[in-house]
PDB file of all heavy atoms in Angstrom:
ATOM      1  N   ASP A 267       0.819  -1.207   0.008  1.00 85.00           N
ATOM      2  CA  ASP A 267       0.002   0.027   0.012  1.00 85.00           C
ATOM      3  C   ASP A 267       0.858   1.260  -0.005  1.00 85.00           C
ATOM      4  O   ASP A 267       1.948   1.242   0.572  1.00 85.00           O
ATOM      5  CB  ASP A 267      -0.910   0.042   1.234  1.00 85.00           C
ATOM      6  CG  ASP A 267      -1.977  -1.059   1.160  1.00 85.00           C
ATOM      7  OD1 ASP A 267      -2.281  -1.502   0.040  1.00 85.00           O
ATOM      8  OD2 ASP A 267      -2.457  -1.452   2.222  1.00 85.00           O
ATOM      9  N   GLY A 268       0.376   2.337  -0.663  1.00 83.00           N
ATOM     10  CA  GLY A 268       1.102   3.593  -0.674  1.00 83.00           C
ATOM     11  C   GLY A 268       0.776   4.448   0.536  1.00 83.00           C
ATOM     12  O   GLY A 268       0.016   4.015   1.400  1.00 83.00           O
ATOM     13  N   PRO A 269       1.374   5.627   0.589  1.00 85.00           N
ATOM     14  CA  PRO A 269       1.109   6.537   1.723  1.00 85.00           C
ATOM     15  C   PRO A 269      -0.365   6.901   1.914  1.00 85.00           C
ATOM     16  O   PRO A 269      -0.801   7.208   3.023  1.00 85.00           O
ATOM     17  CB  PRO A 269       1.928   7.795   1.352  1.00 85.00           C
ATOM     18  CG  PRO A 269       2.950   7.306   0.405  1.00 85.00           C
ATOM     19  CD  PRO A 269       2.325   6.182  -0.368  1.00 85.00           C
ATOM     20  N   ASP A 270      -1.123   6.800   0.819  1.00 82.00           N
ATOM     21  CA  ASP A 270      -2.563   7.152   0.925  1.00 82.00           C
ATOM     22  C   ASP A 270      -3.402   5.950   1.355  1.00 82.00           C
ATOM     23  O   ASP A 270      -4.633   6.018   1.449  1.00 82.00           O
ATOM     24  CB  ASP A 270      -3.081   7.695  -0.413  1.00 82.00           C
ATOM     25  CG  ASP A 270      -2.857   6.704  -1.566  1.00 82.00           C
ATOM     26  OD1 ASP A 270      -2.325   5.575  -1.298  1.00 82.00           O
ATOM     27  OD2 ASP A 270      -3.217   7.053  -2.722  1.00 82.00           O
ATOM     28  N   GLY A 271      -2.758   4.827   1.611  1.00 80.00           N
ATOM     29  CA  GLY A 271      -3.454   3.628   2.058  1.00 80.00           C
ATOM     30  C   GLY A 271      -4.002   2.788   0.902  1.00 80.00           C
ATOM     31  O   GLY A 271      -4.562   1.720   1.140  1.00 80.00           O
ATOM     32  N   LEU A 272      -3.888   3.282  -0.330  1.00 80.00           N
ATOM     33  CA  LEU A 272      -4.338   2.530  -1.507  1.00 80.00           C
ATOM     34  C   LEU A 272      -3.241   1.646  -2.024  1.00 80.00           C
ATOM     35  O   LEU A 272      -2.066   1.966  -1.878  1.00 80.00           O
ATOM     36  CB  LEU A 272      -4.790   3.514  -2.550  1.00 80.00           C
ATOM     37  CG  LEU A 272      -5.996   4.395  -2.214  1.00 80.00           C
ATOM     38  CD1 LEU A 272      -6.289   5.409  -3.340  1.00 80.00           C
ATOM     39  CD2 LEU A 272      -7.235   3.539  -1.935  1.00 80.00           C
ATOM     40  N   PRO A 273      -3.609   0.525  -2.691  1.00 82.00           N
ATOM     41  CA  PRO A 273      -2.565  -0.377  -3.194  1.00 82.00           C
ATOM     42  C   PRO A 273      -1.689   0.287  -4.221  1.00 82.00           C
ATOM     43  O   PRO A 273      -2.187   1.013  -5.103  1.00 82.00           O
ATOM     44  CB  PRO A 273      -3.398  -1.537  -3.789  1.00 82.00           C
ATOM     45  CG  PRO A 273      -4.719  -1.438  -3.129  1.00 82.00           C
ATOM     46  CD  PRO A 273      -4.939   0.014  -2.909  1.00 82.00           C
ATOM     47  N   LEU A 274      -0.387   0.021  -4.179  1.00 91.00           N
ATOM     48  CA  LEU A 274       0.494   0.409  -5.220  1.00 91.00           C
ATOM     49  C   LEU A 274       0.502  -0.661  -6.302  1.00 91.00           C
ATOM     50  O   LEU A 274       0.409  -1.852  -5.962  1.00 91.00           O
ATOM     51  CB  LEU A 274       1.950   0.589  -4.681  1.00 91.00           C
ATOM     52  CG  LEU A 274       2.166   1.686  -3.637  1.00 91.00           C
ATOM     53  CD1 LEU A 274       3.559   1.543  -3.035  1.00 91.00           C
ATOM     54  CD2 LEU A 274       1.936   3.043  -4.290  1.00 91.00           C
ATOM     55  N   PRO A 275       0.581  -0.325  -7.543  1.00 95.00           N
ATOM     56  CA  PRO A 275       0.539  -1.376  -8.593  1.00 95.00           C
ATOM     57  C   PRO A 275       1.790  -2.258  -8.517  1.00 95.00           C
ATOM     58  O   PRO A 275       2.924  -1.707  -8.483  1.00 95.00           O
ATOM     59  CB  PRO A 275       0.483  -0.574  -9.890  1.00 95.00           C
ATOM     60  CG  PRO A 275       0.997   0.798  -9.570  1.00 95.00           C
ATOM     61  CD  PRO A 275       0.640   1.031  -8.159  1.00 95.00           C
ATOM     62  N   PRO A 276       1.634  -3.526  -8.415  1.00 97.00           N
ATOM     63  CA  PRO A 276       2.767  -4.459  -8.406  1.00 97.00           C
ATOM     64  C   PRO A 276       3.269  -4.626  -9.833  1.00 97.00           C
ATOM     65  O   PRO A 276       2.964  -5.592 -10.522  1.00 97.00           O
ATOM     66  CB  PRO A 276       2.203  -5.782  -7.806  1.00 97.00           C
ATOM     67  CG  PRO A 276       0.767  -5.741  -8.163  1.00 97.00           C
ATOM     68  CD  PRO A 276       0.372  -4.259  -8.202  1.00 97.00           C
ATOM     69  N   TYR A 277       4.098  -3.700 -10.248  1.00 97.00           N
ATOM     70  CA  TYR A 277       4.422  -3.516 -11.684  1.00 97.00           C
ATOM     71  C   TYR A 277       5.895  -3.193 -11.821  1.00 97.00           C
ATOM     72  O   TYR A 277       6.423  -2.332 -11.099  1.00 97.00           O
ATOM     73  CB  TYR A 277       3.548  -2.391 -12.247  1.00 97.00           C
ATOM     74  CG  TYR A 277       3.901  -1.874 -13.568  1.00 97.00           C
ATOM     75  CD1 TYR A 277       3.311  -2.414 -14.724  1.00 97.00           C
ATOM     76  CD2 TYR A 277       4.815  -0.787 -13.741  1.00 97.00           C
ATOM     77  CE1 TYR A 277       3.593  -1.887 -15.996  1.00 97.00           C
ATOM     78  CE2 TYR A 277       5.100  -0.281 -15.012  1.00 97.00           C
ATOM     79  CZ  TYR A 277       4.499  -0.847 -16.127  1.00 97.00           C
ATOM     80  OH  TYR A 277       4.774  -0.317 -17.373  1.00 97.00           O
ATOM     81  N   LYS A 278       6.596  -3.882 -12.723  1.00 98.00           N
ATOM     82  CA  LYS A 278       8.008  -3.598 -12.971  1.00 98.00           C
ATOM     83  C   LYS A 278       8.329  -3.663 -14.452  1.00 98.00           C
ATOM     84  O   LYS A 278       7.613  -4.362 -15.185  1.00 98.00           O
ATOM     85  CB  LYS A 278       8.897  -4.572 -12.238  1.00 98.00           C
ATOM     86  CG  LYS A 278       8.900  -4.432 -10.741  1.00 98.00           C
ATOM     87  CD  LYS A 278       9.711  -3.187 -10.239  1.00 98.00           C
ATOM     88  CE  LYS A 278      11.225  -3.371 -10.483  1.00 98.00           C
ATOM     89  NZ  LYS A 278      11.985  -2.254  -9.866  1.00 98.00           N
ATOM     90  N   ILE A 279       9.374  -2.971 -14.865  1.00 98.00           N
ATOM     91  CA  ILE A 279       9.898  -3.017 -16.237  1.00 98.00           C
ATOM     92  C   ILE A 279      11.412  -3.221 -16.129  1.00 98.00           C
ATOM     93  O   ILE A 279      12.094  -2.568 -15.320  1.00 98.00           O
ATOM     94  CB  ILE A 279       9.616  -1.731 -17.002  1.00 98.00           C
ATOM     95  CG1 ILE A 279       8.106  -1.517 -17.202  1.00 98.00           C
ATOM     96  CG2 ILE A 279      10.342  -1.751 -18.395  1.00 98.00           C
ATOM     97  CD1 ILE A 279       7.508  -2.379 -18.257  1.00 98.00           C
ATOM     98  N   TYR A 280      11.960  -4.117 -16.940  1.00 98.00           N
ATOM     99  CA  TYR A 280      13.402  -4.327 -17.008  1.00 98.00           C
ATOM    100  C   TYR A 280      13.867  -4.307 -18.434  1.00 98.00           C
ATOM    101  O   TYR A 280      13.181  -4.772 -19.357  1.00 98.00           O
ATOM    102  CB  TYR A 280      13.821  -5.646 -16.411  1.00 98.00           C
ATOM    103  CG  TYR A 280      13.610  -5.750 -14.893  1.00 98.00           C
ATOM    104  CD1 TYR A 280      12.468  -6.388 -14.352  1.00 98.00           C
ATOM    105  CD2 TYR A 280      14.546  -5.249 -14.015  1.00 98.00           C
ATOM    106  CE1 TYR A 280      12.309  -6.538 -13.020  1.00 98.00           C
ATOM    107  CE2 TYR A 280      14.375  -5.344 -12.612  1.00 98.00           C
ATOM    108  CZ  TYR A 280      13.260  -5.976 -12.130  1.00 98.00           C
ATOM    109  OH  TYR A 280      13.085  -6.109 -10.793  1.00 98.00           O
ATOM    110  N   ASN A 281      15.050  -3.770 -18.661  1.00 98.00           N
ATOM    111  CA  ASN A 281      15.794  -3.990 -19.916  1.00 98.00           C
ATOM    112  C   ASN A 281      16.553  -5.300 -19.863  1.00 98.00           C
ATOM    113  O   ASN A 281      17.101  -5.629 -18.834  1.00 98.00           O
ATOM    114  CB  ASN A 281      16.849  -2.906 -20.156  1.00 98.00           C
ATOM    115  CG  ASN A 281      16.226  -1.548 -20.490  1.00 98.00           C
ATOM    116  OD1 ASN A 281      15.149  -1.470 -21.063  1.00 98.00           O
ATOM    117  ND2 ASN A 281      16.948  -0.489 -20.173  1.00 98.00           N
ATOM    118  N   ILE A 282      16.535  -6.064 -20.949  1.00 98.00           N
ATOM    119  CA  ILE A 282      17.398  -7.212 -21.052  1.00 98.00           C
ATOM    120  C   ILE A 282      18.204  -7.034 -22.353  1.00 98.00           C
ATOM    121  O   ILE A 282      17.685  -7.314 -23.454  1.00 98.00           O
ATOM    122  CB  ILE A 282      16.694  -8.569 -21.048  1.00 98.00           C
ATOM    123  CG1 ILE A 282      15.823  -8.705 -19.777  1.00 98.00           C
ATOM    124  CG2 ILE A 282      17.710  -9.724 -21.104  1.00 98.00           C
ATOM    125  CD1 ILE A 282      15.185 -10.109 -19.610  1.00 98.00           C
ATOM    126  N   GLY A 283      19.433  -6.584 -22.217  1.00 97.00           N
ATOM    127  CA  GLY A 283      20.272  -6.327 -23.367  1.00 97.00           C
ATOM    128  C   GLY A 283      21.729  -6.554 -22.992  1.00 97.00           C
ATOM    129  O   GLY A 283      22.070  -6.692 -21.839  1.00 97.00           O
ATOM    130  N   ASN A 284      22.561  -6.609 -23.997  1.00 93.00           N
ATOM    131  CA  ASN A 284      23.998  -6.962 -23.765  1.00 93.00           C
ATOM    132  C   ASN A 284      24.801  -5.759 -23.262  1.00 93.00           C
ATOM    133  O   ASN A 284      25.970  -5.942 -22.882  1.00 93.00           O
ATOM    134  CB  ASN A 284      24.594  -7.463 -25.077  1.00 93.00           C
ATOM    135  CG  ASN A 284      25.782  -8.402 -24.843  1.00 93.00           C
ATOM    136  OD1 ASN A 284      25.701  -9.277 -23.950  1.00 93.00           O
ATOM    137  ND2 ASN A 284      26.837  -8.194 -25.567  1.00 93.00           N
ATOM    138  N   SER A 285      24.226  -4.561 -23.292  1.00 90.00           N
ATOM    139  CA  SER A 285      24.895  -3.371 -22.761  1.00 90.00           C
ATOM    140  C   SER A 285      26.216  -3.076 -23.507  1.00 90.00           C
ATOM    141  O   SER A 285      27.179  -2.511 -22.905  1.00 90.00           O
ATOM    142  CB  SER A 285      25.159  -3.457 -21.284  1.00 90.00           C
ATOM    143  OG  SER A 285      23.955  -3.693 -20.575  1.00 90.00           O
ATOM    144  N   HIS A 286      26.316  -3.501 -24.727  1.00 89.00           N
ATOM    145  CA  HIS A 286      27.530  -3.294 -25.500  1.00 89.00           C
ATOM    146  C   HIS A 286      27.180  -3.183 -26.992  1.00 89.00           C
ATOM    147  O   HIS A 286      27.302  -4.150 -27.726  1.00 89.00           O
ATOM    148  CB  HIS A 286      28.549  -4.429 -25.277  1.00 89.00           C
ATOM    149  CG  HIS A 286      29.866  -4.203 -25.951  1.00 89.00           C
ATOM    150  ND1 HIS A 286      30.758  -3.242 -25.472  1.00 89.00           N
ATOM    151  CD2 HIS A 286      30.446  -4.743 -27.012  1.00 89.00           C
ATOM    152  CE1 HIS A 286      31.828  -3.258 -26.239  1.00 89.00           C
ATOM    153  NE2 HIS A 286      31.677  -4.151 -27.185  1.00 89.00           N
ATOM    154  N   PRO A 287      26.664  -2.035 -27.437  1.00 91.00           N
ATOM    155  CA  PRO A 287      26.211  -1.938 -28.854  1.00 91.00           C
ATOM    156  C   PRO A 287      27.348  -2.128 -29.837  1.00 91.00           C
ATOM    157  O   PRO A 287      28.468  -1.636 -29.624  1.00 91.00           O
ATOM    158  CB  PRO A 287      25.606  -0.541 -28.907  1.00 91.00           C
ATOM    159  CG  PRO A 287      26.210   0.222 -27.741  1.00 91.00           C
ATOM    160  CD  PRO A 287      26.489  -0.799 -26.695  1.00 91.00           C
ATOM    161  N   GLU A 288      27.020  -2.849 -30.898  1.00 92.00           N
ATOM    162  CA  GLU A 288      27.993  -3.161 -31.942  1.00 92.00           C
ATOM    163  C   GLU A 288      27.529  -2.521 -33.252  1.00 92.00           C
ATOM    164  O   GLU A 288      26.348  -2.458 -33.530  1.00 92.00           O
ATOM    165  CB  GLU A 288      28.094  -4.679 -32.159  1.00 92.00           C
ATOM    166  CG  GLU A 288      28.413  -5.481 -30.905  1.00 92.00           C
ATOM    167  CD  GLU A 288      29.903  -5.631 -30.670  1.00 92.00           C
ATOM    168  OE1 GLU A 288      30.667  -5.097 -31.475  1.00 92.00           O
ATOM    169  OE2 GLU A 288      30.233  -6.302 -29.693  1.00 92.00           O
ATOM    170  N   LYS A 289      28.507  -2.044 -34.027  1.00 91.00           N
ATOM    171  CA  LYS A 289      28.180  -1.478 -35.361  1.00 91.00           C
ATOM    172  C   LYS A 289      27.648  -2.629 -36.235  1.00 91.00           C
ATOM    173  O   LYS A 289      28.222  -3.718 -36.224  1.00 91.00           O
ATOM    174  CB  LYS A 289      29.385  -0.850 -35.992  1.00 91.00           C
ATOM    175  CG  LYS A 289      29.763   0.508 -35.436  1.00 91.00           C
ATOM    176  CD  LYS A 289      30.949   1.124 -36.125  1.00 91.00           C
ATOM    177  CE  LYS A 289      30.641   1.415 -37.583  1.00 91.00           C
ATOM    178  NZ  LYS A 289      31.742   2.146 -38.259  1.00 91.00           N
ATOM    179  N   LEU A 290      26.604  -2.344 -36.989  1.00 91.00           N
ATOM    180  CA  LEU A 290      26.022  -3.377 -37.847  1.00 91.00           C
ATOM    181  C   LEU A 290      27.030  -3.900 -38.835  1.00 91.00           C
ATOM    182  O   LEU A 290      27.031  -5.141 -39.120  1.00 91.00           O
ATOM    183  CB  LEU A 290      24.805  -2.775 -38.593  1.00 91.00           C
ATOM    184  CG  LEU A 290      23.988  -3.756 -39.430  1.00 91.00           C
ATOM    185  CD1 LEU A 290      23.496  -4.947 -38.609  1.00 91.00           C
ATOM    186  CD2 LEU A 290      22.804  -3.026 -40.089  1.00 91.00           C
ATOM    187  N   LEU A 291      27.855  -3.056 -39.366  1.00 90.00           N
ATOM    188  CA  LEU A 291      28.875  -3.585 -40.338  1.00 90.00           C
ATOM    189  C   LEU A 291      29.838  -4.516 -39.663  1.00 90.00           C
ATOM    190  O   LEU A 291      30.185  -5.569 -40.248  1.00 90.00           O
ATOM    191  CB  LEU A 291      29.663  -2.374 -40.936  1.00 90.00           C
ATOM    192  CG  LEU A 291      30.654  -2.720 -42.033  1.00 90.00           C
ATOM    193  CD1 LEU A 291      29.983  -3.484 -43.165  1.00 90.00           C
ATOM    194  CD2 LEU A 291      31.351  -1.450 -42.533  1.00 90.00           C
ATOM    195  N   ASP A 292      30.234  -4.225 -38.431  1.00 92.00           N
ATOM    196  CA  ASP A 292      31.118  -5.157 -37.730  1.00 92.00           C
ATOM    197  C   ASP A 292      30.402  -6.486 -37.456  1.00 92.00           C
ATOM    198  O   ASP A 292      30.993  -7.571 -37.589  1.00 92.00           O
ATOM    199  CB  ASP A 292      31.584  -4.553 -36.397  1.00 92.00           C
ATOM    200  CG  ASP A 292      32.450  -3.322 -36.593  1.00 92.00           C
ATOM    201  OD1 ASP A 292      33.066  -3.204 -37.677  1.00 92.00           O
ATOM    202  OD2 ASP A 292      32.554  -2.521 -35.611  1.00 92.00           O
ATOM    203  N   PHE A 293      29.155  -6.399 -37.089  1.00 93.00           N
ATOM    204  CA  PHE A 293      28.334  -7.575 -36.827  1.00 93.00           C
ATOM    205  C   PHE A 293      28.309  -8.482 -38.054  1.00 93.00           C
ATOM    206  O   PHE A 293      28.533  -9.699 -37.976  1.00 93.00           O
ATOM    207  CB  PHE A 293      26.902  -7.139 -36.434  1.00 93.00           C
ATOM    208  CG  PHE A 293      25.928  -8.283 -36.202  1.00 93.00           C
ATOM    209  CD1 PHE A 293      25.808  -8.839 -34.947  1.00 93.00           C
ATOM    210  CD2 PHE A 293      25.151  -8.774 -37.237  1.00 93.00           C
ATOM    211  CE1 PHE A 293      24.897  -9.828 -34.716  1.00 93.00           C
ATOM    212  CE2 PHE A 293      24.259  -9.816 -36.994  1.00 93.00           C
ATOM    213  CZ  PHE A 293      24.136 -10.367 -35.767  1.00 93.00           C
ATOM    214  N   VAL A 294      28.077  -7.898 -39.243  1.00 93.00           N
ATOM    215  CA  VAL A 294      27.956  -8.667 -40.444  1.00 93.00           C
ATOM    216  C   VAL A 294      29.285  -9.253 -40.867  1.00 93.00           C
ATOM    217  O   VAL A 294      29.365 -10.400 -41.348  1.00 93.00           O
ATOM    218  CB  VAL A 294      27.370  -7.834 -41.603  1.00 93.00           C
ATOM    219  CG1 VAL A 294      27.213  -8.647 -42.869  1.00 93.00           C
ATOM    220  CG2 VAL A 294      26.020  -7.239 -41.237  1.00 93.00           C
ATOM    221  N   GLU A 295      30.357  -8.542 -40.622  1.00 94.00           N
ATOM    222  CA  GLU A 295      31.679  -9.055 -40.944  1.00 94.00           C
ATOM    223  C   GLU A 295      32.022 -10.281 -40.093  1.00 94.00           C
ATOM    224  O   GLU A 295      32.517 -11.304 -40.583  1.00 94.00           O
ATOM    225  CB  GLU A 295      32.723  -7.974 -40.770  1.00 94.00           C
ATOM    226  CG  GLU A 295      32.704  -6.943 -41.859  1.00 94.00           C
ATOM    227  CD  GLU A 295      33.715  -5.823 -41.648  1.00 94.00           C
ATOM    228  OE1 GLU A 295      34.279  -5.705 -40.533  1.00 94.00           O
ATOM    229  OE2 GLU A 295      33.971  -5.065 -42.613  1.00 94.00           O
ATOM    230  N   ILE A 296      31.661 -10.215 -38.803  1.00 96.00           N
ATOM    231  CA  ILE A 296      31.880 -11.372 -37.953  1.00 96.00           C
ATOM    232  C   ILE A 296      30.995 -12.543 -38.357  1.00 96.00           C
ATOM    233  O   ILE A 296      31.436 -13.699 -38.369  1.00 96.00           O
ATOM    234  CB  ILE A 296      31.635 -11.003 -36.458  1.00 96.00           C
ATOM    235  CG1 ILE A 296      32.608  -9.992 -35.975  1.00 96.00           C
ATOM    236  CG2 ILE A 296      31.671 -12.246 -35.543  1.00 96.00           C
ATOM    237  CD1 ILE A 296      32.347  -9.441 -34.593  1.00 96.00           C
ATOM    238  N   LEU A 297      29.767 -12.240 -38.723  1.00 96.00           N
ATOM    239  CA  LEU A 297      28.885 -13.287 -39.196  1.00 96.00           C
ATOM    240  C   LEU A 297      29.424 -13.979 -40.433  1.00 96.00           C
ATOM    241  O   LEU A 297      29.434 -15.227 -40.508  1.00 96.00           O
ATOM    242  CB  LEU A 297      27.511 -12.660 -39.570  1.00 96.00           C
ATOM    243  CG  LEU A 297      26.484 -13.623 -40.233  1.00 96.00           C
ATOM    244  CD1 LEU A 297      26.116 -14.784 -39.332  1.00 96.00           C
ATOM    245  CD2 LEU A 297      25.233 -12.813 -40.657  1.00 96.00           C
ATOM    246  N   GLN A 298      29.962 -13.233 -41.369  1.00 95.00           N
ATOM    247  CA  GLN A 298      30.547 -13.795 -42.567  1.00 95.00           C
ATOM    248  C   GLN A 298      31.721 -14.664 -42.193  1.00 95.00           C
ATOM    249  O   GLN A 298      31.907 -15.772 -42.764  1.00 95.00           O
ATOM    250  CB  GLN A 298      30.955 -12.672 -43.482  1.00 95.00           C
ATOM    251  CG  GLN A 298      31.752 -13.120 -44.733  1.00 95.00           C
ATOM    252  CD  GLN A 298      33.240 -12.855 -44.579  1.00 95.00           C
ATOM    253  OE1 GLN A 298      33.658 -11.823 -44.065  1.00 95.00           O
ATOM    254  NE2 GLN A 298      34.059 -13.806 -45.009  1.00 95.00           N
ATOM    255  N   GLU A 299      32.545 -14.241 -41.261  1.00 96.00           N
ATOM    256  CA  GLU A 299      33.704 -15.008 -40.873  1.00 96.00           C
ATOM    257  C   GLU A 299      33.287 -16.348 -40.209  1.00 96.00           C
ATOM    258  O   GLU A 299      33.874 -17.354 -40.511  1.00 96.00           O
ATOM    259  CB  GLU A 299      34.562 -14.182 -39.859  1.00 96.00           C
ATOM    260  CG  GLU A 299      35.245 -13.011 -40.495  1.00 96.00           C
ATOM    261  CD  GLU A 299      35.861 -12.031 -39.478  1.00 96.00           C
ATOM    262  OE1 GLU A 299      35.793 -12.369 -38.254  1.00 96.00           O
ATOM    263  OE2 GLU A 299      36.377 -10.991 -39.870  1.00 96.00           O
ATOM    264  N   GLU A 300      32.242 -16.295 -39.389  1.00 97.00           N
ATOM    265  CA  GLU A 300      31.785 -17.506 -38.733  1.00 97.00           C
ATOM    266  C   GLU A 300      31.097 -18.445 -39.681  1.00 97.00           C
ATOM    267  O   GLU A 300      31.185 -19.684 -39.540  1.00 97.00           O
ATOM    268  CB  GLU A 300      30.927 -17.176 -37.533  1.00 97.00           C
ATOM    269  CG  GLU A 300      31.662 -16.476 -36.390  1.00 97.00           C
ATOM    270  CD  GLU A 300      32.824 -17.306 -35.852  1.00 97.00           C
ATOM    271  OE1 GLU A 300      32.719 -18.560 -35.871  1.00 97.00           O
ATOM    272  OE2 GLU A 300      33.809 -16.690 -35.436  1.00 97.00           O
ATOM    273  N   LEU A 301      30.397 -17.910 -40.672  1.00 97.00           N
ATOM    274  CA  LEU A 301      29.790 -18.758 -41.725  1.00 97.00           C
ATOM    275  C   LEU A 301      30.894 -19.446 -42.527  1.00 97.00           C
ATOM    276  O   LEU A 301      30.732 -20.584 -42.915  1.00 97.00           O
ATOM    277  CB  LEU A 301      28.892 -17.924 -42.621  1.00 97.00           C
ATOM    278  CG  LEU A 301      27.585 -17.414 -42.003  1.00 97.00           C
ATOM    279  CD1 LEU A 301      26.896 -16.432 -42.954  1.00 97.00           C
ATOM    280  CD2 LEU A 301      26.633 -18.570 -41.620  1.00 97.00           C
ATOM    281  N   THR A 302      31.981 -18.718 -42.723  1.00 96.00           N
ATOM    282  CA  THR A 302      33.112 -19.348 -43.447  1.00 96.00           C
ATOM    283  C   THR A 302      33.748 -20.437 -42.622  1.00 96.00           C
ATOM    284  O   THR A 302      34.022 -21.546 -43.110  1.00 96.00           O
ATOM    285  CB  THR A 302      34.145 -18.255 -43.788  1.00 96.00           C
ATOM    286  OG1 THR A 302      33.546 -17.242 -44.595  1.00 96.00           O
ATOM    287  CG2 THR A 302      35.334 -18.872 -44.545  1.00 96.00           C
ATOM    288  N   THR A 303      33.950 -20.173 -41.339  1.00 96.00           N
ATOM    289  CA  THR A 303      34.571 -21.185 -40.442  1.00 96.00           C
ATOM    290  C   THR A 303      33.687 -22.433 -40.363  1.00 96.00           C
ATOM    291  O   THR A 303      34.162 -23.530 -40.249  1.00 96.00           O
ATOM    292  CB  THR A 303      34.755 -20.605 -39.035  1.00 96.00           C
ATOM    293  OG1 THR A 303      35.604 -19.462 -39.109  1.00 96.00           O
ATOM    294  CG2 THR A 303      35.355 -21.590 -38.077  1.00 96.00           C
ATOM    295  N   ALA A 304      32.370 -22.234 -40.418  1.00 96.00           N
ATOM    296  CA  ALA A 304      31.426 -23.339 -40.301  1.00 96.00           C
ATOM    297  C   ALA A 304      31.325 -24.107 -41.634  1.00 96.00           C
ATOM    298  O   ALA A 304      30.563 -25.099 -41.723  1.00 96.00           O
ATOM    299  CB  ALA A 304      30.027 -22.830 -39.899  1.00 96.00           C
ATOM    300  N   GLY A 305      32.038 -23.645 -42.676  1.00 94.00           N
ATOM    301  CA  GLY A 305      32.057 -24.336 -43.943  1.00 94.00           C
ATOM    302  C   GLY A 305      30.840 -24.025 -44.854  1.00 94.00           C
ATOM    303  O   GLY A 305      30.668 -24.665 -45.870  1.00 94.00           O
ATOM    304  N   ILE A 306      30.096 -23.012 -44.507  1.00 94.00           N
ATOM    305  CA  ILE A 306      28.945 -22.619 -45.289  1.00 94.00           C
ATOM    306  C   ILE A 306      29.342 -21.726 -46.450  1.00 94.00           C
ATOM    307  O   ILE A 306      28.837 -21.870 -47.548  1.00 94.00           O
ATOM    308  CB  ILE A 306      27.875 -21.907 -44.419  1.00 94.00           C
ATOM    309  CG1 ILE A 306      27.467 -22.811 -43.276  1.00 94.00           C
ATOM    310  CG2 ILE A 306      26.650 -21.515 -45.226  1.00 94.00           C
ATOM    311  CD1 ILE A 306      26.652 -22.134 -42.209  1.00 94.00           C
TER     312      ILE A 306
END
C-alpha cells in the first residue's frame, strides 16, 4: 500500500540487453567469418 493507504501497482519493467552496442557492419563481418569457419 502507498502513503494514501491505497494499493501500489505491483508492476516492474526491465531492460534485457547486452549493454555493448555493436556497429552493424562489424556484426555482419563477424557473421561472414563464422559462416566461413562453419564451412557454409
Side-chain angles (χ1 to χ4, degrees):
D267 292 337
D270 58 1
L272 297 175
L274 297 171
Y277 168 91
K278 290 286 289 187
I279 296 284
Y280 291 99
N281 288 332
I282 304 187
N284 206 46
S285 303
H286 186 71
E288 305 273 0
K289 285 182 64 175
L290 184 56
L291 184 57
D292 294 340
F293 177 90
V294 181
E295 287 179 345
I296 295 173
L297 173 62
Q298 173 259 319
E299 291 168 3
E300 291 303 328
L301 290 172
T302 301
T303 300
I306 302 169

